Amino acid sequence: MIGGEDVVLPTLDLDRVVATDVCVRAIIRRWPRAVIQSGTTAEIYPRYQSVPFGEEREIMIYRDRHALESWDELESHPTNHNTMVHLLAYGDGKMTIVVDDANAEEMRLLLEEIRRAMRNTPRVSTEAPDSERRAA
Amino acid sequence: MTMDASDRLRDLLGRAGLQASVDSAVEFWGEESAGKYFAGRADLLVAAYRAYAERYPTASSSGSVPRLDVDTLEETLQRNPQKVRAFLQALEETSNVGLLVMVWRIIHGDTIMSIDMRYVERETFELVIRLEDPATGDESCYRSQDNDDAVLLRHIAVMKINDMPIFDGFYALRV
């Protein structure tokens, strides 16, 4: 996303992969028709279960197909503000969430729901699996 | 079930970041008994695979929710290690094949529609969980009357959407 507002949320002791998973699940519960897109390859994931969280460090989530088309055509534009969330997960301990306006009601609620979800997610092992150690 | 399957499961646990779980089983039971324990868990995984295939005959690695077997778990490990870790912990915690199918479905995005738990001290326990596939709207129901299975509820994240209650996802616990 070009422009927008960076909101950096602490993920406490959730690892990067789980924190991203939790964020996506929280967002698609609010936006049940959401479209998920890779932030690095632009691949569209047809369903939540298609997302390779172990490999993705950037994910864009559009409110619906119409929002995706609008962003494709106009990029950031007043008519599509607050219809897309850009997640950046480049390290354990924090998640950067880019939104148009963090004070807009829709985004404020969404960010609060993500915070709550991360706070209440069961904590995972601190022992990284082989695949993550190799990637590090 | 051969010991090969057991060794494969132990190897998978280690590669999923759950080696401490394997080590503690060996320390607790000794190598021979731990081997039998993991063979039993490998048998349970096969039973879960069969139950899943019977309930969801069209599931495939390219479809909506993939098959439930060791091959799929190994394939999933690279792309979604958090899902494999969570499922393997459930495999260690319950012997209820139906609940393992349920865990696999939640991990892959099914919505938890309701959880009913009834407990009366020294008398009765019943857990009933209903899921919905968000893609198709199909509902499924899973039950247990063994209160040991209540430990699975610890893996579920607690959320609110529009200030209304949501239980969602199934995550690995710290080992």
PDB file of all heavy atoms in Angstrom, chain A residues 13 17 21 25 29-30 49 51-54 113 120 122-123 127 129-130 132, chain B residues 15 17 64 79-82 85 106 108 154 158 160 162 168 172-174:
ATOM      1  N   ASP A  13       4.455 -12.894  22.741  1.00  0.00           N
ATOM      2  CA  ASP A  13       5.375 -13.985  22.405  1.00  0.00           C
ATOM      3  C   ASP A  13       4.824 -14.910  21.325  1.00  0.00           C
ATOM      4  O   ASP A  13       5.268 -16.050  21.197  1.00  0.00           O
ATOM      5  CB  ASP A  13       5.770 -14.777  23.656  1.00  0.00           C
ATOM      6  CG  ASP A  13       4.569 -15.258  24.436  1.00  0.00           C
ATOM      7  OD1 ASP A  13       3.434 -14.869  24.071  1.00  0.00           O
ATOM      8  OD2 ASP A  13       4.745 -16.016  25.391  1.00  0.00           O
ATOM      9  N   VAL A  17       4.679 -16.451  12.300  1.00  0.00           N
ATOM     10  CA  VAL A  17       3.746 -17.231  11.491  1.00  0.00           C
ATOM     11  C   VAL A  17       2.363 -17.269  12.161  1.00  0.00           C
ATOM     12  O   VAL A  17       1.337 -17.033  11.516  1.00  0.00           O
ATOM     13  CB  VAL A  17       4.291 -18.661  11.267  1.00  0.00           C
ATOM     14  CG1 VAL A  17       3.285 -19.497  10.499  1.00  0.00           C
ATOM     15  CG2 VAL A  17       5.616 -18.608  10.526  1.00  0.00           C
ATOM     16  N   ASP A  21      -1.288 -15.578  10.981  1.00  0.00           N
ATOM     17  CA  ASP A  21      -2.473 -16.450  10.890  1.00  0.00           C
ATOM     18  C   ASP A  21      -3.624 -15.852  11.714  1.00  0.00           C
ATOM     19  O   ASP A  21      -4.763 -15.728  11.234  1.00  0.00           O
ATOM     20  CB  ASP A  21      -2.074 -17.842  11.401  1.00  0.00           C
ATOM     21  CG  ASP A  21      -3.165 -18.895  11.210  1.00  0.00           C
ATOM     22  OD1 ASP A  21      -4.358 -18.561  11.306  1.00  0.00           O
ATOM     23  OD2 ASP A  21      -2.817 -20.070  11.007  1.00  0.00           O
ATOM     24  N   ARG A  25      -7.243 -14.464  10.339  1.00  0.00           N
ATOM     25  CA  ARG A  25      -8.509 -15.054  10.792  1.00  0.00           C
ATOM     26  C   ARG A  25      -9.414 -13.992  11.404  1.00  0.00           C
ATOM     27  O   ARG A  25     -10.629 -13.997  11.195  1.00  0.00           O
ATOM     28  CB  ARG A  25      -8.248 -16.187  11.790  1.00  0.00           C
ATOM     29  CG  ARG A  25      -7.707 -17.444  11.122  1.00  0.00           C
ATOM     30  CD  ARG A  25      -7.690 -18.631  12.075  1.00  0.00           C
ATOM     31  NE  ARG A  25      -8.970 -19.298  12.103  1.00  0.00           N
ATOM     32  CZ  ARG A  25      -9.149 -20.601  11.842  1.00  0.00           C
ATOM     33  NH1 ARG A  25      -8.132 -21.369  11.534  1.00  0.00           N
ATOM     34  NH2 ARG A  25     -10.337 -21.135  11.897  1.00  0.00           N
ATOM     35  N   ARG A  29     -13.092 -12.826   9.806  1.00  0.00           N
ATOM     36  CA  ARG A  29     -14.330 -12.940  10.586  1.00  0.00           C
ATOM     37  C   ARG A  29     -15.135 -11.651  10.477  1.00  0.00           C
ATOM     38  O   ARG A  29     -16.354 -11.660  10.475  1.00  0.00           O
ATOM     39  CB  ARG A  29     -14.039 -13.252  12.057  1.00  0.00           C
ATOM     40  CG  ARG A  29     -13.428 -14.615  12.300  1.00  0.00           C
ATOM     41  CD  ARG A  29     -14.224 -15.752  11.685  1.00  0.00           C
ATOM     42  NE  ARG A  29     -15.504 -15.964  12.327  1.00  0.00           N
ATOM     43  CZ  ARG A  29     -15.750 -16.888  13.250  1.00  0.00           C
ATOM     44  NH1 ARG A  29     -14.788 -17.713  13.635  1.00  0.00           N
ATOM     45  NH2 ARG A  29     -16.936 -17.015  13.782  1.00  0.00           N
ATOM     46  N   ARG A  30     -14.455 -10.501  10.402  1.00  0.00           N
ATOM     47  CA  ARG A  30     -15.168  -9.224  10.222  1.00  0.00           C
ATOM     48  C   ARG A  30     -15.596  -9.046   8.771  1.00  0.00           C
ATOM     49  O   ARG A  30     -16.666  -8.505   8.502  1.00  0.00           O
ATOM     50  CB  ARG A  30     -14.265  -8.066  10.664  1.00  0.00           C
ATOM     51  CG  ARG A  30     -14.805  -6.687  10.314  1.00  0.00           C
ATOM     52  CD  ARG A  30     -14.145  -5.596  11.085  1.00  0.00           C
ATOM     53  NE  ARG A  30     -14.677  -5.521  12.434  1.00  0.00           N
ATOM     54  CZ  ARG A  30     -15.816  -4.882  12.766  1.00  0.00           C
ATOM     55  NH1 ARG A  30     -16.527  -4.268  11.860  1.00  0.00           N
ATOM     56  NH2 ARG A  30     -16.232  -4.860  14.014  1.00  0.00           N
ATOM     57  N   GLN A  49      -7.394 -21.342   3.784  1.00  0.00           N
ATOM     58  CA  GLN A  49      -6.513 -22.511   3.902  1.00  0.00           C
ATOM     59  C   GLN A  49      -5.479 -22.599   2.789  1.00  0.00           C
ATOM     60  O   GLN A  49      -4.576 -23.427   2.851  1.00  0.00           O
ATOM     61  CB  GLN A  49      -7.308 -23.821   3.996  1.00  0.00           C
ATOM     62  CG  GLN A  49      -8.246 -24.066   2.847  1.00  0.00           C
ATOM     63  CD  GLN A  49      -9.652 -23.671   3.232  1.00  0.00           C
ATOM     64  OE1 GLN A  49      -9.848 -22.676   3.932  1.00  0.00           O
ATOM     65  NE2 GLN A  49     -10.641 -24.428   2.805  1.00  0.00           N
ATOM     66  N   VAL A  51      -3.440 -20.110   2.120  1.00  0.00           N
ATOM     67  CA  VAL A  51      -2.358 -19.169   2.428  1.00  0.00           C
ATOM     68  C   VAL A  51      -1.183 -19.900   3.074  1.00  0.00           C
ATOM     69  O   VAL A  51      -1.359 -20.543   4.106  1.00  0.00           O
ATOM     70  CB  VAL A  51      -2.851 -18.058   3.393  1.00  0.00           C
ATOM     71  CG1 VAL A  51      -1.731 -17.063   3.665  1.00  0.00           C
ATOM     72  CG2 VAL A  51      -4.082 -17.361   2.839  1.00  0.00           C
ATOM     73  N   PRO A  52       0.017 -19.819   2.489  1.00  0.00           N
ATOM     74  CA  PRO A  52       1.197 -20.440   3.109  1.00  0.00           C
ATOM     75  C   PRO A  52       1.813 -19.500   4.145  1.00  0.00           C
ATOM     76  O   PRO A  52       2.757 -18.757   3.857  1.00  0.00           O
ATOM     77  CB  PRO A  52       2.127 -20.665   1.909  1.00  0.00           C
ATOM     78  CG  PRO A  52       1.785 -19.568   0.959  1.00  0.00           C
ATOM     79  CD  PRO A  52       0.327 -19.235   1.179  1.00  0.00           C
ATOM     80  N   PHE A  53       1.297 -19.517   5.343  1.00  0.00           N
ATOM     81  CA  PHE A  53       1.739 -18.559   6.358  1.00  0.00           C
ATOM     82  C   PHE A  53       3.222 -18.710   6.687  1.00  0.00           C
ATOM     83  O   PHE A  53       3.876 -17.760   7.092  1.00  0.00           O
ATOM     84  CB  PHE A  53       0.900 -18.715   7.634  1.00  0.00           C
ATOM     85  CG  PHE A  53      -0.506 -18.225   7.480  1.00  0.00           C
ATOM     86  CD1 PHE A  53      -1.539 -19.108   7.233  1.00  0.00           C
ATOM     87  CD2 PHE A  53      -0.803 -16.875   7.554  1.00  0.00           C
ATOM     88  CE1 PHE A  53      -2.834 -18.667   7.081  1.00  0.00           C
ATOM     89  CE2 PHE A  53      -2.096 -16.416   7.397  1.00  0.00           C
ATOM     90  CZ  PHE A  53      -3.117 -17.319   7.158  1.00  0.00           C
ATOM     91  N   GLY A  54       3.742 -19.935   6.519  1.00  0.00           N
ATOM     92  CA  GLY A  54       5.162 -20.141   6.792  1.00  0.00           C
ATOM     93  C   GLY A  54       6.072 -19.445   5.792  1.00  0.00           C
ATOM     94  O   GLY A  54       7.260 -19.264   6.050  1.00  0.00           O
ATOM     95  N   GLU A 113      -9.990  -5.651  17.488  1.00  0.00           N
ATOM     96  CA  GLU A 113     -10.294  -7.089  17.442  1.00  0.00           C
ATOM     97  C   GLU A 113      -9.020  -7.910  17.195  1.00  0.00           C
ATOM     98  O   GLU A 113      -8.849  -8.992  17.755  1.00  0.00           O
ATOM     99  CB  GLU A 113     -11.340  -7.354  16.360  1.00  0.00           C
ATOM    100  CG  GLU A 113     -12.721  -6.864  16.775  1.00  0.00           C
ATOM    101  CD  GLU A 113     -13.682  -6.612  15.621  1.00  0.00           C
ATOM    102  OE1 GLU A 113     -13.315  -6.884  14.468  1.00  0.00           O
ATOM    103  OE2 GLU A 113     -14.794  -6.150  15.886  1.00  0.00           O
ATOM    104  N   ASN A 120      -5.324 -13.173  23.206  1.00  0.00           N
ATOM    105  CA  ASN A 120      -6.019 -14.362  23.715  1.00  0.00           C
ATOM    106  C   ASN A 120      -5.715 -15.631  22.925  1.00  0.00           C
ATOM    107  O   ASN A 120      -6.417 -16.620  23.065  1.00  0.00           O
ATOM    108  CB  ASN A 120      -7.525 -14.116  23.713  1.00  0.00           C
ATOM    109  CG  ASN A 120      -7.920 -13.067  24.725  1.00  0.00           C
ATOM    110  OD1 ASN A 120      -7.193 -12.831  25.690  1.00  0.00           O
ATOM    111  ND2 ASN A 120      -9.032 -12.419  24.508  1.00  0.00           N
ATOM    112  N   PRO A 122      -3.622 -18.956  22.217  1.00  0.00           N
ATOM    113  CA  PRO A 122      -2.700 -19.821  22.959  1.00  0.00           C
ATOM    114  C   PRO A 122      -1.277 -19.637  22.452  1.00  0.00           C
ATOM    115  O   PRO A 122      -1.057 -19.437  21.257  1.00  0.00           O
ATOM    116  CB  PRO A 122      -3.216 -21.229  22.635  1.00  0.00           C
ATOM    117  CG  PRO A 122      -4.642 -21.033  22.271  1.00  0.00           C
ATOM    118  CD  PRO A 122      -4.716 -19.701  21.603  1.00  0.00           C
ATOM    119  N   ARG A 123      -0.327 -19.690  23.339  1.00  0.00           N
ATOM    120  CA  ARG A 123       1.062 -19.442  22.988  1.00  0.00           C
ATOM    121  C   ARG A 123       1.718 -20.702  22.463  1.00  0.00           C
ATOM    122  O   ARG A 123       1.510 -21.793  22.995  1.00  0.00           O
ATOM    123  CB  ARG A 123       1.847 -18.934  24.187  1.00  0.00           C
ATOM    124  CG  ARG A 123       1.834 -17.429  24.346  1.00  0.00           C
ATOM    125  CD  ARG A 123       0.571 -16.766  23.922  1.00  0.00           C
ATOM    126  NE  ARG A 123       0.732 -15.311  23.917  1.00  0.00           N
ATOM    127  CZ  ARG A 123      -0.023 -14.476  23.260  1.00  0.00           C
ATOM    128  NH1 ARG A 123      -1.020 -14.921  22.541  1.00  0.00           N
ATOM    129  NH2 ARG A 123       0.189 -13.191  23.317  1.00  0.00           N
ATOM    130  N   GLU A 127      10.364 -23.208  20.265  1.00  0.00           N
ATOM    131  CA  GLU A 127      11.349 -23.985  19.504  1.00  0.00           C
ATOM    132  C   GLU A 127      10.938 -23.943  18.029  1.00  0.00           C
ATOM    133  O   GLU A 127       9.889 -24.450  17.651  1.00  0.00           O
ATOM    134  CB  GLU A 127      11.336 -25.426  20.013  1.00  0.00           C
ATOM    135  CG  GLU A 127      12.356 -26.331  19.372  1.00  0.00           C
ATOM    136  CD  GLU A 127      12.176 -27.752  19.911  1.00  0.00           C
ATOM    137  OE1 GLU A 127      11.294 -27.982  20.746  1.00  0.00           O
ATOM    138  OE2 GLU A 127      12.923 -28.623  19.463  1.00  0.00           O
ATOM    139  N   PRO A 129      10.606 -24.873  14.159  1.00  0.00           N
ATOM    140  CA  PRO A 129      10.799 -26.092  13.391  1.00  0.00           C
ATOM    141  C   PRO A 129      11.951 -25.937  12.403  1.00  0.00           C
ATOM    142  O   PRO A 129      12.385 -24.830  12.117  1.00  0.00           O
ATOM    143  CB  PRO A 129       9.469 -26.259  12.649  1.00  0.00           C
ATOM    144  CG  PRO A 129       8.899 -24.895  12.581  1.00  0.00           C
ATOM    145  CD  PRO A 129       9.376 -24.188  13.809  1.00  0.00           C
ATOM    146  N   ASP A 130      12.403 -27.058  11.857  1.00  0.00           N
ATOM    147  CA  ASP A 130      13.547 -27.044  10.945  1.00  0.00           C
ATOM    148  C   ASP A 130      13.342 -26.063   9.800  1.00  0.00           C
ATOM    149  O   ASP A 130      14.247 -25.332   9.421  1.00  0.00           O
ATOM    150  CB  ASP A 130      13.775 -28.446  10.360  1.00  0.00           C
ATOM    151  CG  ASP A 130      14.359 -29.379  11.403  1.00  0.00           C
ATOM    152  OD1 ASP A 130      14.742 -28.877  12.481  1.00  0.00           O
ATOM    153  OD2 ASP A 130      14.424 -30.587  11.131  1.00  0.00           O
ATOM    154  N   GLU A 132      11.689 -23.332   9.598  1.00  0.00           N
ATOM    155  CA  GLU A 132      11.862 -21.929   9.963  1.00  0.00           C
ATOM    156  C   GLU A 132      13.314 -21.617  10.270  1.00  0.00           C
ATOM    157  O   GLU A 132      13.813 -20.546   9.961  1.00  0.00           O
ATOM    158  CB  GLU A 132      10.985 -21.596  11.172  1.00  0.00           C
ATOM    159  CG  GLU A 132       9.511 -21.578  10.800  1.00  0.00           C
ATOM    160  CD  GLU A 132       8.623 -21.312  11.997  1.00  0.00           C
ATOM    161  OE1 GLU A 132       9.119 -20.865  13.037  1.00  0.00           O
ATOM    162  OE2 GLU A 132       7.416 -21.579  11.882  1.00  0.00           O
TER     163      GLU A 132
ATOM    164  N   ARG B  15      10.713 -32.355  13.612  1.00  0.00           N
ATOM    165  CA  ARG B  15      10.858 -31.310  12.596  1.00  0.00           C
ATOM    166  C   ARG B  15       9.811 -30.220  12.737  1.00  0.00           C
ATOM    167  O   ARG B  15       9.988 -29.116  12.232  1.00  0.00           O
ATOM    168  CB  ARG B  15      10.810 -31.934  11.193  1.00  0.00           C
ATOM    169  CG  ARG B  15      12.104 -32.671  10.862  1.00  0.00           C
ATOM    170  CD  ARG B  15      12.169 -33.110   9.417  1.00  0.00           C
ATOM    171  NE  ARG B  15      11.245 -34.191   9.149  1.00  0.00           N
ATOM    172  CZ  ARG B  15      10.275 -34.151   8.235  1.00  0.00           C
ATOM    173  NH1 ARG B  15      10.100 -33.070   7.501  1.00  0.00           N
ATOM    174  NH2 ARG B  15       9.494 -35.180   8.035  1.00  0.00           N
ATOM    175  N   GLY B  17       9.103 -28.868  15.499  1.00  0.00           N
ATOM    176  CA  GLY B  17       9.437 -28.057  16.671  1.00  0.00           C
ATOM    177  C   GLY B  17       8.927 -28.650  17.967  1.00  0.00           C
ATOM    178  O   GLY B  17       8.867 -27.971  18.987  1.00  0.00           O
ATOM    179  N   SER B  64     -10.243 -28.037  -1.139  1.00  0.00           N
ATOM    180  CA  SER B  64     -10.445 -27.064  -0.078  1.00  0.00           C
ATOM    181  C   SER B  64      -9.619 -27.431   1.147  1.00  0.00           C
ATOM    182  O   SER B  64      -8.615 -26.809   1.438  1.00  0.00           O
ATOM    183  CB  SER B  64     -11.931 -26.985   0.242  1.00  0.00           C
ATOM    184  OG  SER B  64     -12.452 -28.272   0.503  1.00  0.00           O
ATOM    185  N   ARG B  79       4.853 -24.983   4.426  1.00  0.00           N
ATOM    186  CA  ARG B  79       3.989 -23.833   4.123  1.00  0.00           C
ATOM    187  C   ARG B  79       3.262 -23.312   5.356  1.00  0.00           C
ATOM    188  O   ARG B  79       3.030 -22.116   5.486  1.00  0.00           O
ATOM    189  CB  ARG B  79       2.966 -24.218   3.053  1.00  0.00           C
ATOM    190  CG  ARG B  79       3.582 -24.402   1.675  1.00  0.00           C
ATOM    191  CD  ARG B  79       2.631 -25.099   0.724  1.00  0.00           C
ATOM    192  NE  ARG B  79       1.398 -24.376   0.474  1.00  0.00           N
ATOM    193  CZ  ARG B  79       1.256 -23.435  -0.466  1.00  0.00           C
ATOM    194  NH1 ARG B  79       2.261 -23.115  -1.222  1.00  0.00           N
ATOM    195  NH2 ARG B  79       0.093 -22.845  -0.639  1.00  0.00           N
ATOM    196  N   ASN B  80       2.881 -24.210   6.236  1.00  0.00           N
ATOM    197  CA  ASN B  80       2.111 -23.807   7.414  1.00  0.00           C
ATOM    198  C   ASN B  80       2.533 -24.614   8.646  1.00  0.00           C
ATOM    199  O   ASN B  80       1.769 -25.448   9.146  1.00  0.00           O
ATOM    200  CB  ASN B  80       0.612 -23.981   7.150  1.00  0.00           C
ATOM    201  CG  ASN B  80       0.036 -22.854   6.324  1.00  0.00           C
ATOM    202  OD1 ASN B  80       0.064 -21.688   6.743  1.00  0.00           O
ATOM    203  ND2 ASN B  80      -0.450 -23.179   5.144  1.00  0.00           N
ATOM    204  N   PRO B  81       3.748 -24.360   9.140  1.00  0.00           N
ATOM    205  CA  PRO B  81       4.235 -25.154  10.290  1.00  0.00           C
ATOM    206  C   PRO B  81       3.351 -25.024  11.520  1.00  0.00           C
ATOM    207  O   PRO B  81       3.244 -25.965  12.311  1.00  0.00           O
ATOM    208  CB  PRO B  81       5.635 -24.584  10.539  1.00  0.00           C
ATOM    209  CG  PRO B  81       5.624 -23.228   9.911  1.00  0.00           C
ATOM    210  CD  PRO B  81       4.716 -23.339   8.722  1.00  0.00           C
ATOM    211  N   GLN B  82       2.705 -23.866  11.674  1.00  0.00           N
ATOM    212  CA  GLN B  82       1.873 -23.664  12.866  1.00  0.00           C
ATOM    213  C   GLN B  82       0.682 -24.614  12.880  1.00  0.00           C
ATOM    214  O   GLN B  82       0.221 -25.038  13.946  1.00  0.00           O
ATOM    215  CB  GLN B  82       1.425 -22.187  12.948  1.00  0.00           C
ATOM    216  CG  GLN B  82       0.222 -21.768  12.114  1.00  0.00           C
ATOM    217  CD  GLN B  82       0.507 -21.644  10.622  1.00  0.00           C
ATOM    218  OE1 GLN B  82       1.556 -22.022  10.139  1.00  0.00           O
ATOM    219  NE2 GLN B  82      -0.459 -21.120   9.875  1.00  0.00           N
ATOM    220  N   ARG B  85       2.024 -28.196  13.831  1.00  0.00           N
ATOM    221  CA  ARG B  85       2.333 -28.232  15.262  1.00  0.00           C
ATOM    222  C   ARG B  85       1.056 -28.377  16.090  1.00  0.00           C
ATOM    223  O   ARG B  85       0.984 -29.188  17.014  1.00  0.00           O
ATOM    224  CB  ARG B  85       3.027 -26.921  15.659  1.00  0.00           C
ATOM    225  CG  ARG B  85       4.437 -27.093  16.154  1.00  0.00           C
ATOM    226  CD  ARG B  85       5.057 -25.749  16.406  1.00  0.00           C
ATOM    227  NE  ARG B  85       5.440 -25.113  15.156  1.00  0.00           N
ATOM    228  CZ  ARG B  85       5.778 -23.834  15.024  1.00  0.00           C
ATOM    229  NH1 ARG B  85       5.754 -23.029  16.059  1.00  0.00           N
ATOM    230  NH2 ARG B  85       6.137 -23.360  13.866  1.00  0.00           N
ATOM    231  N   ILE B 106     -10.911 -27.282  11.758  1.00  0.00           N
ATOM    232  CA  ILE B 106     -10.776 -25.923  12.318  1.00  0.00           C
ATOM    233  C   ILE B 106      -9.469 -25.295  11.846  1.00  0.00           C
ATOM    234  O   ILE B 106      -9.428 -24.120  11.443  1.00  0.00           O
ATOM    235  CB  ILE B 106     -10.813 -25.954  13.869  1.00  0.00           C
ATOM    236  CG1 ILE B 106     -12.154 -26.464  14.377  1.00  0.00           C
ATOM    237  CG2 ILE B 106     -10.544 -24.558  14.428  1.00  0.00           C
ATOM    238  CD1 ILE B 106     -12.189 -26.696  15.887  1.00  0.00           C
ATOM    239  N   HIS B 108      -7.986 -25.658   9.207  1.00  0.00           N
ATOM    240  CA  HIS B 108      -8.073 -25.246   7.807  1.00  0.00           C
ATOM    241  C   HIS B 108      -9.230 -24.298   7.529  1.00  0.00           C
ATOM    242  O   HIS B 108      -9.612 -24.116   6.377  1.00  0.00           O
ATOM    243  CB  HIS B 108      -8.123 -26.481   6.903  1.00  0.00           C
ATOM    244  CG  HIS B 108      -6.793 -27.157   6.822  1.00  0.00           C
ATOM    245  ND1 HIS B 108      -6.405 -28.131   7.703  1.00  0.00           N
ATOM    246  CD2 HIS B 108      -5.730 -26.947   6.006  1.00  0.00           C
ATOM    247  CE1 HIS B 108      -5.174 -28.505   7.423  1.00  0.00           C
ATOM    248  NE2 HIS B 108      -4.736 -27.812   6.407  1.00  0.00           N
ATOM    249  N   ARG B 154      -8.262 -25.643  25.182  1.00  0.00           N
ATOM    250  CA  ARG B 154      -7.213 -24.665  25.501  1.00  0.00           C
ATOM    251  C   ARG B 154      -6.546 -24.112  24.254  1.00  0.00           C
ATOM    252  O   ARG B 154      -5.877 -23.086  24.302  1.00  0.00           O
ATOM    253  CB  ARG B 154      -6.136 -25.306  26.377  1.00  0.00           C
ATOM    254  CG  ARG B 154      -6.636 -25.828  27.711  1.00  0.00           C
ATOM    255  CD  ARG B 154      -5.515 -26.432  28.511  1.00  0.00           C
ATOM    256  NE  ARG B 154      -4.826 -27.500  27.763  1.00  0.00           N
ATOM    257  CZ  ARG B 154      -3.745 -28.119  28.196  1.00  0.00           C
ATOM    258  NH1 ARG B 154      -3.207 -27.779  29.342  1.00  0.00           N
ATOM    259  NH2 ARG B 154      -3.180 -29.066  27.474  1.00  0.00           N
ATOM    260  N   VAL B 158      -9.584 -16.845  21.540  1.00  0.00           N
ATOM    261  CA  VAL B 158     -10.799 -16.149  22.001  1.00  0.00           C
ATOM    262  C   VAL B 158     -10.816 -14.755  21.379  1.00  0.00           C
ATOM    263  O   VAL B 158      -9.845 -14.010  21.497  1.00  0.00           O
ATOM    264  CB  VAL B 158     -10.806 -16.041  23.537  1.00  0.00           C
ATOM    265  CG1 VAL B 158     -12.023 -15.278  24.023  1.00  0.00           C
ATOM    266  CG2 VAL B 158     -10.740 -17.428  24.159  1.00  0.00           C
ATOM    267  N   LYS B 160     -13.474 -11.257  19.898  1.00  0.00           N
ATOM    268  CA  LYS B 160     -14.794 -10.620  19.813  1.00  0.00           C
ATOM    269  C   LYS B 160     -14.854  -9.905  18.474  1.00  0.00           C
ATOM    270  O   LYS B 160     -13.879  -9.277  18.055  1.00  0.00           O
ATOM    271  CB  LYS B 160     -15.005  -9.629  20.953  1.00  0.00           C
ATOM    272  CG  LYS B 160     -15.427 -10.265  22.272  1.00  0.00           C
ATOM    273  CD  LYS B 160     -15.870  -9.210  23.263  1.00  0.00           C
ATOM    274  CE  LYS B 160     -16.540  -9.812  24.481  1.00  0.00           C
ATOM    275  NZ  LYS B 160     -15.666 -10.726  25.229  1.00  0.00           N
ATOM    276  N   ASN B 162     -17.438  -7.154  16.645  1.00  0.00           N
ATOM    277  CA  ASN B 162     -18.581  -6.291  16.979  1.00  0.00           C
ATOM    278  C   ASN B 162     -19.051  -6.549  18.401  1.00  0.00           C
ATOM    279  O   ASN B 162     -20.245  -6.562  18.687  1.00  0.00           O
ATOM    280  CB  ASN B 162     -19.738  -6.499  15.995  1.00  0.00           C
ATOM    281  CG  ASN B 162     -19.415  -5.923  14.631  1.00  0.00           C
ATOM    282  OD1 ASN B 162     -18.671  -4.955  14.523  1.00  0.00           O
ATOM    283  ND2 ASN B 162     -19.955  -6.536  13.596  1.00  0.00           N
ATOM    284  N   ASP B 168     -12.214 -19.131  17.791  1.00  0.00           N
ATOM    285  CA  ASP B 168     -11.739 -19.325  16.421  1.00  0.00           C
ATOM    286  C   ASP B 168     -10.333 -19.914  16.409  1.00  0.00           C
ATOM    287  O   ASP B 168      -9.510 -19.594  17.255  1.00  0.00           O
ATOM    288  CB  ASP B 168     -11.718 -17.965  15.695  1.00  0.00           C
ATOM    289  CG  ASP B 168     -11.546 -18.123  14.201  1.00  0.00           C
ATOM    290  OD1 ASP B 168     -12.304 -18.898  13.603  1.00  0.00           O
ATOM    291  OD2 ASP B 168     -10.645 -17.482  13.645  1.00  0.00           O
ATOM    292  N   ALA B 172      -1.130 -24.231  18.518  1.00  0.00           N
ATOM    293  CA  ALA B 172      -0.249 -25.043  19.360  1.00  0.00           C
ATOM    294  C   ALA B 172       0.038 -24.324  20.668  1.00  0.00           C
ATOM    295  O   ALA B 172       0.129 -23.100  20.705  1.00  0.00           O
ATOM    296  CB  ALA B 172       1.062 -25.319  18.619  1.00  0.00           C
ATOM    297  N   LEU B 173       0.199 -25.089  21.693  1.00  0.00           N
ATOM    298  CA  LEU B 173       0.557 -24.541  23.003  1.00  0.00           C
ATOM    299  C   LEU B 173       2.073 -24.607  23.176  1.00  0.00           C
ATOM    300  O   LEU B 173       2.751 -25.391  22.518  1.00  0.00           O
ATOM    301  CB  LEU B 173      -0.101 -25.348  24.119  1.00  0.00           C
ATOM    302  CG  LEU B 173      -1.628 -25.374  24.103  1.00  0.00           C
ATOM    303  CD1 LEU B 173      -2.137 -26.372  25.134  1.00  0.00           C
ATOM    304  CD2 LEU B 173      -2.181 -23.987  24.403  1.00  0.00           C
ATOM    305  N   ARG B 174       2.560 -23.821  24.092  1.00  0.00           N
ATOM    306  CA  ARG B 174       3.993 -23.847  24.410  1.00  0.00           C
ATOM    307  C   ARG B 174       4.339 -25.221  25.005  1.00  0.00           C
ATOM    308  O   ARG B 174       3.551 -25.773  25.780  1.00  0.00           O
ATOM    309  CB  ARG B 174       4.298 -22.755  25.432  1.00  0.00           C
ATOM    310  CG  ARG B 174       5.751 -22.595  25.743  1.00  0.00           C
ATOM    311  CD  ARG B 174       5.953 -21.550  26.819  1.00  0.00           C
ATOM    312  NE  ARG B 174       5.737 -20.202  26.330  1.00  0.00           N
ATOM    313  CZ  ARG B 174       4.776 -19.395  26.740  1.00  0.00           C
ATOM    314  NH1 ARG B 174       3.914 -19.775  27.645  1.00  0.00           N
ATOM    315  NH2 ARG B 174       4.657 -18.173  26.271  1.00  0.00           N
TER     316      ARG B 174
END
